[in-house]
Amino acid sequence: MSDTDLPHIPAGVPVVDIDGDAIGTIRAVYPHYIAVEQDGIPPAAHRVPPHAVASFDGAKVTLNVGRDALDEMTPEAEAAIDLPRHGDIPEPGDREHDV
């Protein structure tokens, strides 16, 4: 699925992996990934890139990967891969490096 298809997926939609196992629900859709939240103790969240989405049938999102292939969304993981937080504005010199 392309980045341009992501805005059409609403929050609250269930997400399953390639084996049909529940991953969680859509928490938010950003320009280059989907935030998926999983209930539990402690709750977990994963970042799903557009290329990992196999389909959206209007009722659920099916991934073409397993849970183990997803990035966990934690403050430590965000810092480790040096991703800007949603809403951050890069410095003007950094814009040429945006993907």
Side-chain angles (χ1 to χ4, degrees), residues 16 19 21 36 67 79-80 82 93:
V16 298
D19 298 318
D21 296 330
V36 176
R67 177 190 316 267
D82 198 28

Side-chain angles (χ1 to χ4, degrees), residues 6-97:
L6 292 182
H8 302 290
I9 302 174
V13 170
V15 178
V16 298
D17 70 6
I18 193 168
D19 298 318
D21 296 330
I23 299 291
T25 57
I26 303 286
R27 179 173 68 187
V29 178
Y30 299 111
H32 301 293
Y33 70 93
I34 300 170
V36 176
E37 189 168 50
Q38 176 186 349
D39 290 334
I41 301 178
H46 300 279
R47 182 182 309 98
V48 177
H51 67 269
V53 177
S55 65
F56 171 55
D57 66 8
K60 76 172 182 260
V61 170
T62 301
L63 305 181
N64 58 23
V65 298
R67 177 190 316 267
D68 294 343
L70 302 176
D71 291 330
E72 190 173 347
M73 293 178 68
T74 64
E76 296 81 17
E78 298 293 312
I81 59 176
D82 198 28
L83 278 179
R85 297 203 184 282
H86 181 66
D88 282 356
I89 299 172
E91 294 297 318
D94 292 340
R95 292 178 193 255
E96 66 189 15
H97 299 291

